[in-house]
Every structure is written in structure tokens, then in C-alpha cells.
């Protein structure tokens, strides 16, 4: 059985043009692309047995390739009360996402062994409204599980360089990175990293804003002098050859360059900011102490000698205050406080270690997930110029939200790395358009509302993560129209479909409208406007940082391999998604 869609605006080969797409429902692939809008009785349609009832002209809406979201936490099995395959893939389908790649955590057990992966596969069967692939996890004790997981079809492996906050997924070290690279060097795979690390050495710090501004103006390599002193020698050599115009790139930067500092001195002094940034208790990607840490983890291993009663009652900040008097009188409900606890150098320190590993074994693809700081751009650009296989993604929230607009107690905006300043946001857009950042993903990472603790509003106690799968296209379209020049739908397709398909080894069948490729399509109304409401979302837990925001552009319909899985006004059809367990194409 064949069907066809047409419009005067179809995105083919990066160009919007009139076209008719003919596809097979049985094979799920595109059969022919005709470079005009065909009439219903055209002989070409008859040749493929496309009857008038199976042909639609959706003009003036745009037909685009379905999005490939390469970073989604579906959390099933084990934490299905946070999200699950059904609700997560329905939310994806509602926003034109036709493929999601599930992260190895926060499911219990995580995708770190063959046995664990089989549990996840069984949990997913019959519950996917879009196609679903899987990342494996890299933890300290599963080095010899990597190859068997590759054989089972995982697209690659994610690791944390800082504590994840869940006991079953501990952090690794740079030594583990090198060991894993050696283990998989002959495989088609990718190693990915949550790239945050507390710097090993304390940086020199000045209370003077003028001194800090002077440092920004006077640097030579795009990084602070203290970073250069601390960075691995091969990375410093790469930076010395970076052709970027560092002064121009950072001319709008108002944060202390790669230092701990306060964006709001009326809330937090620079000394307090420095103390926050150097406190191990607060460094985990999620709370590792306090009520929510205990609620999430069935057992709780600690590096500190606090009593059982302390960890049951006290918040992470209260525990940290016992260690450092500088942290007294700090307001944990102010976003500036949380942001200061995770300065840009958390990311640049980790990324330098990752790039250093790549210089030692430059054949294994490495990837930085959810990049939040523009400070890492010189590092990434230098690695790219050297030909190292190091790539980076950013997220919809880092391109659309900013610290200055996050109010007190607004813990639904918490994520790690954190949402940074508006100037930083603009520079991330620039790095994206300059191909230093290559992909944009949701990092959909929900939890139950009680873990967000919005009534109390303590950012250090709250669980992080922003729910946004399915919002990506309208977010980028809305924000992109504000840029000069405005972004094009072809750019969005490159970042969210084609490049993500390449990242996950599916560029032979997804990410573009091409004969023989999967008929993964979305129909997009570029003129529609709507306001996001929590109650109208399809997430299991109806809480998102985008509540109340107006978007421009809306997905009207989503097709997965030729089957409509979502249509505005009609809702969802049955679960037509498949599990992607084939080996990587590249």
C-alpha cells in the first residue's frame, strides 16, 4: 500500500520547494520524490497505486524530515513513575520527533550489561509510538560489557565525569576513558560524556570585578591563565593553534572568565561564590546528600563522615555549611546561588581531559553531551581544527532560557550543567551556526514533582532535569526568528535530524527526505502560535520550564515510516515505533 503527501514547501536537500513524496506503508520507505505538487489523478500516483483517498496536499504547511532526538531519559524500567516508553514517545511524536535514543540512566537497572539491556528491551516492547534506539552506560566496572552491548545494538556509551546522583551509575575518571577507548577502538561506536569536573587545583581568585574584566580582555588562548596552567599540555598546544578571534567572541561576556563568580552581588558575594564552587558536597550532577538523595537511591554511599540522622534531615547546603563558614547566610532559593556553585570551569576542565584522551588515541569518536558554556568553544574548535573526532551537542533550554529570568524558588529550571546567562546563550547560538556545536537535543530528564521541591524552592535539594521532548522544533523556530539573520528550517533539520542521525549511526535511513530512506516525516505550521500549559503536555509528570511561554510554529502531524502516529485534533494512533537494535551504519 502506498500513500503520498505534497506541499509547495517540502524540505529536500536543504531547500524548501514544491514536491510530492510517495512512500510505502508496508516497507515504511520513500519510493519517489517528484519536484512538483501532483494533481490527485496524476499518472505517477497511479503507477504506485496511490488512490485519491491516500493522497493529501498540505500546503501551506511545511513537510520536513522527522526529528532524531539523541538524548532522552525514558527511565523505564525502575523509575517509570518519572517517565516511561509510552508517555515519553507520545510526547516526542506530538512534536515531530520520529526517533529517540534512550539514555542508560535513570532506569533501574541502567543499561550497563547485556542482562540489564534485555530487561529494558522487554519493557519497551509494544510501548513505543516512535522508533527508539539505546545508549549504553560506561561505569567503572563494566569495561568488558561494552563489546557485547555493541553486538546487541547500543549506539554508543555515556559516562559521567562527576557523580551522577544515582548510586547505580557512578562516575569514571580520565583513566577509565582511555581504557574504554582502547577496548572499543576497532568498533563502530561512540563514547559520550557528562562533562563536568571540579578543578583539581584551586584557582587564583580576585574580588575585584575590574581585575576579572581585565583578565577577559587580556587572554591569549581563549581561556583563563589559571586554566592554561592546569590543562593537559597537549590541550594547551591545540589552543595555541586555534585560529579563533577570542576577543570578539567574548566581548559581551560579563561573567568572570573560567572563575567562580556571582552574577548578582546583591544576593551573593564573589567570596561566597568561590566557596560554593569548591564544595564537593554540592558538586554532584544531582543531590548526593539530603532527603531527595535518599528518596531516589535505595542505598546511599557517602565520602563524608556525617551521621545517619544528618543525611536524613539536613539539606545539602546545610551539610556544606558545616564544612565551610563562608557558606553561612547563603540563600539556597536564589538561582544566582545555584549557578555560582557550577561555574563554567566545571565544563572546561572536563572537556580538556576528554580532548587530551582524544590526542592519545585519535580514532575513537568522543562526544560532549549537553554543552552549556560558550567558554568551551575554543577547546572544541581547536580539537576540530586538529582533526580530532570530538563533537558536542547543546540543548533546547540552553538556547532559549537564561539565568537572569529564573526567579527564586523556580527549581523546575534546575539542570546540570546549569542554564547560564543571556550573553552565554547568544554565544552558544553563534558556536552552533559556526558548526563548532553540531547537534541540538532535548536532554528530556523528568522526575516526579515532589523531587523538584518547588514549595520549598531549595535549588541544592531539588532534583534537576527539564522536560522538553517534543518541544524542540517550536523552541528553535521561535528563538531562531529573533536572530540576525533568522535561522532557516534547513539549519534546524541539520542540527536536529541529519547530524543527530549521523551521531547515532542511522544516517543511512533517517534524518533526510530521500528515496529509500524511512518515511519519517512531520507537517509543520510555521504561522501557528500557542502558549505552553503544563496540563496540556503529554509527559507523565506535567511539569516543564516552558509553562506559560508562547511558541511560534506547531507540528500538525507526525509520520513514522509512513504511518501517522500523531495528528493535531485527532491525537495518537497505535504504537507504530520499532526498537532499533541493528548495528551502527558508521
Amino acid at each position: 500500500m502506498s500513500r503520498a503527501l505534497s506541499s509547495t514547501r517540502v524540505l529536500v536537500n536543504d531547500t524548501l520547494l514544491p514536491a510530492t513524496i510517495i512512500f510505502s506503508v508496508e516497507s515504511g520507505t520513500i519510493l519517489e520524490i517528484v519536484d512538483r505538487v501532483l494533481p490527485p489523478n496524476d499518472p505517477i500516483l497511479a503507477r504506485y497505486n496511490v488512490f485519491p483517498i491516500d493522497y493529501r496536499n498540505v500546503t501551506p504547511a511545511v513537510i520536513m524530515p522527522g526529528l532524531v532526538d539523541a538524548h532522552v531519559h525514558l527511565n523505564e524500567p525502575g523509575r517509570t513513575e518519572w517517565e516511561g516508553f509510552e508517555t515519553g514517545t507520545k510526547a516526542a511524536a506530538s512534536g515531530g520527533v520520529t526517533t529517540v535514543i534512550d539514555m542508560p540512566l535513570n532506569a533501574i537497572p541502567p543499561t550497563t550489561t547485556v542482562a540489564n539491556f534485555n530487561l529494558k528491551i522487554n519493557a519497551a516492547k509494544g510501548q513505543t509510538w516512535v522508533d527508539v534506539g539505546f545508549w549504553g552506560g560506561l561505569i567503572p566496572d563494566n569495561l568488558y560489557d561494552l563489546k557485547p552491548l555493541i553486538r546487541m545494538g547500543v549506539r554508543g556509551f555515556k559516562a559521567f565525569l562527576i557523580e551522577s546522583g544515582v548510586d547505580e551509575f557512578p562516575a569514571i575518571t580520565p583513566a577509565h576513558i582511555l581504557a574504554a577507548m582502547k577496548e572499543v577502538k576497532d568498533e563502530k561506536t561512540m563514547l559520550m560524556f557528562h562533562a563536568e569536573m571540579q578543578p583539581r587545583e584551586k584557582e587564583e581568585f580576585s574580588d575585584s570585578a575590574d581585575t576579572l574584566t581585565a583578565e577577559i580582555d587580556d587572554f591569549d588562548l581563549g581561556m583563563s591563565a589559571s586554566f592554561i596552567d592546569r590543562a593537559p599540555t597537549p590541550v594547551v598546544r591545540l589552543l595555541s593553534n586555534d585560529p579563533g578571534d577570542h576577543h570578539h567572541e567574548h566581548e559581551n561576556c560579563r561573567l568572570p572568565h573560567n572563575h567562580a563568580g556571582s552574577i548578582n552581588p546583591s544576593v551573593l558575594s564573589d567570596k561566597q561564590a568561590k566557596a560554593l564552587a569548591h564544595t564537593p558536597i554540592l558538586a554532584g550532577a544531582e543531590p548526593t546528600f539530603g532527603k531527595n538523595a535518599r528518596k531516589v537511591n535505595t542505598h546511599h554511599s557517602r565520602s563524608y563522615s556525617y551521621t545517619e540522622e544528618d543525611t536524613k534531615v539536613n539539606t545539602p547546603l546545610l551539610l556544606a555549611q558545616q564544612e565551610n563558614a563562608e557558606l553561612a547566610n547563603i540563600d539556597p532559593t536564589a538561582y544566582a546561588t545555584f549557578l555560582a556553585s557550577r561555574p563554567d570551569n566545571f565544563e572546561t576542565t572536563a572537556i580538556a581531559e576528554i580532548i587530551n584522551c582524544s590526542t592519545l588515541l585519535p580514532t575513537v569518536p568522543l562526544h560532549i553531551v549537553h554543552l552549556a558554556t560558550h567558554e568551551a568553544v575554543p577547546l572544541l574548535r581547536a580539537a576540530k581544527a586538529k582533526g580530532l573526532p570530538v563533537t558536542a551537542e547543546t540543548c533546547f533550554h540552553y538556547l532559549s532560557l537564561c539565568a537572569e529570568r529564573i526567579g527564586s524558588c523556580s527549581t523546575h529550571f534546575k539542570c546540570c550543567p546549569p542554564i547560564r546567562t543571556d550573553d552565554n546563550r547568544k554565544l552558544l547560538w553563534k558556536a552552533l551556526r559556526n558548526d563548532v556545536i553540531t547537534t541540538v537535543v532535548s536532554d528530556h530528564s523528568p522526575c516526579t514533582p515532589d523531587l523538584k521541591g518547588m514549595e520549598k524552592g531549595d535549588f541544592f535539594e531539588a532534583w534537576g532535569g527539564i522536560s522538553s521532548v517534543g518541544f524542540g522544533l517550536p523552541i528553535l523556530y521561535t528563538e531562531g526568528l529573533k536572530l540576525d539573520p533568522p535561522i532557516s528550517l534547513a539549519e534546524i533539520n541539520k542540527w536536529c535530524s541529519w547530524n543527530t542521525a549521523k551521531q547515532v549511526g542511522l544516517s543511512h535511513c533517517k534524518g533526510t527526505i530521500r528515496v529509500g530512506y524511512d518515511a519519517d516525516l512531520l507537517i509543520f505550521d510555521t504561522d501557528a502560535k500557542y502558549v505552553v500549559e503544563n496540563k496540556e503536555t503529554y509527559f507523565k509528570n506535567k511539569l516543564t520550564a516552558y509553562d506559560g511561554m508562547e511558541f511560534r510554529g506547531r507540528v500538525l502531524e507526525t509520520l513514522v515510516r509512513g504511518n501517522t502516529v500523531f495528528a493535531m485534533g485527532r491525537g495518537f494512533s497505535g504504537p507504530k515505533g520499532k526498537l532499533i537494535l541493528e548495528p551502527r551504519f558508521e
Side-chain angles (χ1 to χ4, degrees):
M1 179 180 180
S2 299
R3 293 175 181 162
L5 286 174
S6 67
S7 174
T8 55
R9 297 194 295 167
V10 180
L11 188 63
V12 180
N13 296 328
D14 298 331
T15 303
L16 283 176
L17 46 78
T20 300
I21 305 168
I22 303 170
F23 52 89
S24 166
V25 176
E26 283 84 2
S27 69
T29 59
I30 296 172
L31 302 175
E32 186 168 345
I33 303 167
V34 183
D35 61 356
R36 62 188 183 279
V37 175
L38 296 176
N41 59 351
D42 193 280
I44 296 177
L45 295 173
R47 185 192 315 155
Y48 289 99
N49 295 317
V50 177
F51 300 104
I53 195 173
D54 294 317
Y55 172 53
R56 289 181 292 149
N57 179 351
V58 299
T59 302
V62 173
I63 302 174
M64 295 174 57
L67 274 58
V68 178
D69 193 335
H71 193 144
V72 177
H73 293 265
L74 294 175
N75 303 326
E76 189 172 358
R79 290 193 176 98
T80 314
E81 70 275 13
W82 293 13
E83 193 68 278
F85 286 106
E86 178 179 348
T87 51
T89 59
K90 280 183 173 179
S94 72
V97 178
T98 52
T99 303
V100 301
I101 311 299
D102 177 57
M103 281 289 161
L105 75 166
N106 296 302
I108 302 175
T111 313
T112 51
T113 68
V114 167
N116 292 357
F117 190 24
N118 277 322
L119 290 173
K120 173 157 283 196
I121 291 170
N122 289 332
K125 288 178 179 177
Q127 290 204 84
T128 58
W129 268 252
V130 302
D131 289 352
V132 177
F134 303 90
W135 296 114
L138 171 59
I139 58 176
D141 63 356
N142 79 327
L143 189 64
Y144 299 111
D145 293 292
L146 304 185
K147 286 183 179 179
L149 284 166
I150 291 171
R151 304 288 181 268
M152 289 189 68
V154 300
R155 318 316 294 171
F157 301 92
K158 179 186 180 180
F160 277 71
L161 294 179
I162 205 161
E163 287 305 323
S164 70
V166 292
D167 286 351
E168 65 273 6
F169 209 95
I172 65 168
T173 66
H176 288 119
I177 298 176
L178 282 171
M181 292 172 73
K182 292 174 183 176
E183 179 69 11
V184 302
K185 62 183 175 62
D186 297 321
E187 305 289 337
K188 291 180 179 178
T189 193
M190 168 179 281
L191 302 182
M192 311 191 304
F193 305 96
H194 180 122
E196 288 187 292
M197 295 175 70
Q198 274 191 315
R200 290 188 299 269
E201 300 174 16
K202 292 186 177 181
E203 296 185 350
E204 293 297 320
F205 187 77
S206 169
D207 291 333
S208 167
D210 291 337
T211 302
L212 293 171
T213 302
E215 268 194 25
I216 296 171
D217 292 339
D218 293 339
F219 65 86
D220 294 319
L221 301 178
M223 312 298 289
S224 67
S226 57
F227 174 86
I228 298 301
D229 289 341
R230 192 179 64 249
T233 300
V235 175
V236 177
R237 291 193 187 117
L238 287 179
L239 284 167
S240 66
N241 295 319
D242 177 26
D245 182 356
H246 308 303
H247 289 280
H248 182 262
E249 287 171 354
H250 294 79
E251 63 186 356
N252 293 319
C253 179
R254 294 293 177 264
L255 276 180
H257 195 83
N258 272 283
H259 287 70
S262 175
I263 64 167
N264 190 345
S266 67
V267 171
L268 192 74
S269 72
D270 281 346
K271 278 189 175 180
Q272 289 174 314
K274 178 186 177 183
L276 284 167
H278 287 126
T279 301
I281 297 170
L282 305 178
E286 298 291 357
T288 51
F289 295 92
K291 179 184 68 175
N292 283 343
R294 292 185 61 82
K295 187 181 294 186
V296 168
N297 292 290
T298 55
H299 62 282
H300 192 58
S301 53
R302 297 184 299 276
S303 303
Y304 300 91
S305 56
Y306 298 110
T307 68
E308 191 74 7
E309 193 61 29
D310 281 336
T311 58
K312 285 182 180 178
V313 177
N314 288 346
T315 68
L317 181 59
L318 286 173
L319 290 171
Q321 287 169 339
Q322 296 177 14
E323 297 285 321
N324 190 337
E326 290 284 358
L327 299 177
N329 302 315
I330 282 178
D331 180 6
T333 70
Y335 187 74
T337 303
F338 170 65
L339 181 59
S341 74
R342 311 193 78 81
D344 302 74
N345 63 10
F346 271 44
E347 293 187 73
T348 54
T349 297
I351 291 170
E353 293 287 358
I354 293 162
I355 292 174
N356 185 51
C357 290
S358 187
T359 66
L360 299 173
L361 191 58
T363 58
V364 179
L366 306 180
H367 183 75
I368 312 301
V369 301
H370 48 50
L371 180 73
T373 176
H374 77 280
E375 303 282 9
V377 169
L379 285 166
L380 294 166
R381 185 177 50 230
K384 182 178 181 180
K386 185 67 174 176
L388 297 177
V390 179
T391 54
E393 68 190 38
T394 192
C395 301
F396 306 128
H397 41 278
Y398 299 133
L399 296 171
S400 59
L401 306 174
C402 63
E404 293 90 338
R405 297 181 183 177
I406 299 176
S408 295
C409 300
S410 299
T411 51
H412 53 305
F413 286 90
K414 179 184 176 180
C415 57
C416 291
I419 295 164
R420 303 192 186 277
T421 64
D422 194 45
D423 287 336
N424 179 81
R425 181 187 67 84
K426 293 173 183 176
L427 288 165
L428 288 177
W429 271 108
K430 182 175 180 180
L432 182 63
R433 299 191 89 170
N434 287 339
D435 293 325
V436 179
I437 301 169
T438 54
T439 53
V440 189
V441 297
S442 68
D443 186 15
H444 176 71
S445 188
C447 65
T448 52
D450 61 302
L451 292 175
K452 285 292 184 184
M454 292 178 64
E455 299 82 3
K456 187 176 181 181
D458 184 332
F459 278 95
F460 297 107
E461 191 173 40
W463 204 259
I466 291 178
S467 297
S468 62
V469 67
F471 286 166
L473 179 53
I475 288 172
L476 294 186
Y477 191 68
T478 301
E479 294 301 318
L481 289 176
K482 303 172 186 176
L483 302 180
D484 185 18
I487 66 168
S488 66
L489 291 174
E491 287 178 290
I492 295 176
N493 176 70
K494 178 176 72 171
W495 302 325
C496 301
S497 298
W498 180 241
N499 283 356
T500 46
K502 288 194 291 184
Q503 179 193 337
V504 303
L506 294 171
S507 61
H508 63 298
C509 61
K510 294 184 182 294
T512 189
I513 295 176
R514 187 178 299 172
V515 172
Y517 273 55
D518 289 350
D520 291 348
L521 306 169
L522 67 89
I523 301 173
F524 187 57
D525 182 349
T526 56
D527 295 322
K529 294 181 180 180
Y530 71 104
V531 175
V532 176
E533 296 183 63
N534 278 333
K535 65 181 181 180
E536 299 297 329
T537 64
Y538 297 104
F539 313 133
K540 178 163 287 187
N541 294 287
K542 299 183 181 300
L543 178 64
T544 177
Y546 296 99
D547 182 49
M549 296 185 185
E550 183 177 77
F551 288 161
R552 169 81 177 270
R554 192 161 200 173
V555 172
L556 302 179
E557 187 172 339
T558 304
L559 293 86
V560 174
R561 286 174 286 105
N563 294 281
T564 296
V565 294
F566 170 81
M568 182 65 61
R570 301 202 309 269
F572 300 94
S573 65
K576 303 292 187 181
K578 71 174 184 179
L579 305 186
I580 301 170
L581 302 174
E582 64 192 64
R584 287 181 65 108
F585 174 70
E586 56 185 354

